[in-house]
Amino acid sequence: MNIRGRALGCAAVAVALLAAAAGCGADAGGDGEIVVSVWDDGREESSIDVAARDFEKAHPDLTVTVQKNPFDQHLQALRRQLGAGRAPDVAMTVVGYGESGTVRALADKGLLADLGESPWAGRLPDTVAGAVGDGSEVYAFPVDSMAIGIVAKKGTDVPGTYTSMLTACRDAGRDGKTAFALGGHENSKMPHIVGFALAASTVYADDPGYGDKRLRDEVTFAGSDGWEQAVARFGEMRDAGCFGENAAGTTREATARALGDGDALMAVTPTVTLPLWQAAAPDAEFVMAPFPGDDDPDRVLVPAGASSGLVVPAKASDAGPGKQFVDFYAKHRARYAEIDGAVPALPDDGGGPRAPGYAAALEPYLRDGRTAPIMDQQWPNPELIARFDSGLVEMLTGRAEPADVLESMDAVWTSEAP
């Protein structure tokens, strides 16, 4: 099972939900050594470990050292390391924007090498290219992909329309259950995932290019019919009892227990967070379904995109070996994705699946392009996702209205990473 993902922002949530404790930053290796810095996903051996051994066999003059740290520590330290010139030779990070250690934020500061000459760089799908490059240069190999939907135990009656979802929330409450496990406690990073799922079928159903327009400062959040509708619907879900009375103070661990114990029926989550729910109910079989953000099935879109990527520092004294490692991983990406239980962000030539097996219901949406972006990948200022998340938590407690949330986001908007 793949537990790579976005901890802040989304596709940010996944590893933050699962990160373990230990370790600190990595320094570049000496002659003949490549240091690859990644976050610790809790497994004894990931695809990076296997790739390191494979690479050493193919390049006996080089040694690969894999250094692992908890997700939050890894991402926070990466920008400092890159700026100080003591970075690893290759690093895993989150694609797009979202916070200071992500691909586009680091690239905006001139901290990443251009990988545009790599053999895989010319084959990036449009849905991925903007998360790993700026149109002229490519800064990361996109490793895996993610999508947002509803996770539930197999056999759960998942609603298919927005209206039926509100009805299901009320029915669950009458039965003493909570329809959606949701944790609004500090650093849970779960409310904005619901917000993304709603906005996919409002903002991006009406205007697929909204994110690019926001980057060009042609539109705002407040005053956008789609965003106003999305956040208002979050309030309607709250009023229908979808999240339970104490959601604002619930931790992500408690949400997992609630879903595992059957006290909650579903959760809105990225595909890469399956291990969180599985750990709470090891004997249960979980599946994922599209989130019904609208009553019109033609308007229901699935937020999806690349999740993590491999980068090479711009200040590396010799970027060649690091680029070699990235290209080697890219060449064998299908095998390494299988080890992680992931779906490659760069599809193979064989037309393989675009969603994990447990999320087969999302496959038609991903294959037919019925998707929206992972929204914070286009939000350069890290404060934006924090404002969105905290604003939705305040809505849970009745301390904010939809307009307050959107105006707060506009107030900190910047079209470049600070």
Side-chain angles (χ1 to χ4, degrees):
M1 293 179 293
N2 170 42
I3 57 174
R4 285 200 184 105
R6 301 179 56 79
L8 301 174
C10 214
V13 159
V15 181
L17 296 178
L18 299 162
C24 49
D27 290 335
D31 292 342
E33 181 188 17
I34 299 174
V35 173
V36 181
S37 179
V38 301
W39 52 72
D40 187 351
D41 63 12
R43 286 174 301 173
E44 218 172 281
E45 184 170 84
S46 70
S47 67
I48 292 292
D49 299 300
V50 177
R53 289 200 303 271
D54 293 346
F55 185 83
E56 288 178 338
K57 292 176 183 177
H59 300 83
D61 57 324
L62 294 171
T63 299
V64 182
T65 299
V66 179
Q67 298 194 354
K68 299 180 180 182
N69 300 297
F71 181 85
D72 290 330
Q73 290 182 22
H74 170 81
L75 211 61
Q76 291 166 8
L78 187 56
R79 180 166 175 170
R80 294 194 301 270
Q81 293 168 350
L82 293 174
R86 59 179 186 87
D89 300 286
V90 178
M92 180 81 75
T93 189
V94 174
V95 303
Y97 285 110
E99 62 168 301
S100 62
T102 56
V103 169
R104 290 298 305 273
L106 294 171
D108 281 359
K109 297 300 180 183
L111 298 175
L112 300 181
D114 179 17
L115 305 180
E117 297 300 318
S118 294
W120 48 266
R123 300 177 47 245
L124 293 171
D126 292 341
T127 53
V128 173
V132 298
D134 60 7
S136 60
E137 295 187 342
V138 177
Y139 301 107
F141 169 70
V143 173
D144 50 11
S145 60
M146 62 180 289
I148 292 173
I150 291 176
V151 66
K153 291 179 180 177
K154 189 174 183 178
T156 301
D157 186 11
V158 176
T161 66
Y162 176 72
T163 298
S164 65
M165 179 172 65
L166 297 181
T167 299
C169 291
R170 299 186 186 99
D171 290 345
R174 283 192 288 269
D175 292 339
K177 306 282 187 180
T178 298
F180 288 94
L182 181 75
H185 192 266
E186 185 178 0
N187 293 325
S188 75
K189 309 300 178 186
M190 296 181 73
H192 75 259
I193 298 299
V194 180
F196 286 176
L198 287 162
S201 299
T202 58
V203 181
Y204 291 86
D206 290 332
D207 187 359
Y210 174 89
D212 291 327
K213 291 178 181 178
R214 190 66 187 92
L215 282 169
R216 296 193 297 267
D217 292 321
E218 296 174 0
V219 292
T220 57
F221 295 109
S224 161
D225 291 343
W227 274 108
E228 289 177 352
Q229 185 178 36
V231 181
R233 284 183 173 178
F234 184 87
E236 290 173 352
M237 291 182 69
R238 171 204 62 197
D239 294 343
C242 291
F243 311 124
E245 294 182 0
N246 301 313
T250 300
T251 66
R252 56 191 176 228
E253 293 81 11
T255 66
R257 290 195 297 272
L259 189 62
D261 293 343
D263 296 328
L265 306 180
M266 301 169 279
V268 184
T269 183
T271 50
V272 289
T273 60
L274 180 66
L276 173 73
W277 317 108
Q278 197 70 68
D283 297 329
E285 182 179 356
F286 288 94
V287 295
M288 290 192 68
F291 177 88
D294 199 87
D295 285 339
D296 182 351
D298 291 335
R299 290 178 57 83
V300 173
L301 302 180
V302 171
S307 177
S308 59
L310 292 172
V311 301
V312 175
K315 290 186 177 182
S317 57
D318 181 5
K323 290 182 178 181
Q324 279 183 289
F325 180 85
V326 173
D327 291 346
F328 184 88
Y329 189 99
K331 183 178 180 179
H332 303 283
R333 65 188 179 280
R335 175 177 174 239
Y336 296 143
E338 187 175 353
I339 290 171
D340 286 344
V343 174
L346 184 58
D348 60 30
D349 297 328
R354 296 171 187 257
Y358 57 84
L362 303 182
E363 182 75 23
Y365 291 80
L366 305 182
R367 193 166 292 283
D368 297 342
R370 296 159 60 190
T371 61
I374 304 297
M375 289 147 213
D376 66 323
Q377 290 184 358
Q378 295 179 301
W379 295 356
N381 187 349
E383 181 65 18
L384 278 159
I385 191 64
R387 290 289 183 97
F388 188 39
D389 207 73
S390 63
L392 295 178
V393 172
E394 289 181 354
M395 284 186 63
L396 290 174
T397 60
R399 292 182 292 133
E401 297 296 326
D404 300 324
V405 178
L406 300 176
E407 289 169 4
S408 174
M409 293 167 66
D410 282 325
V412 296
W413 171 265
T414 55
S415 55
E416 294 183 359

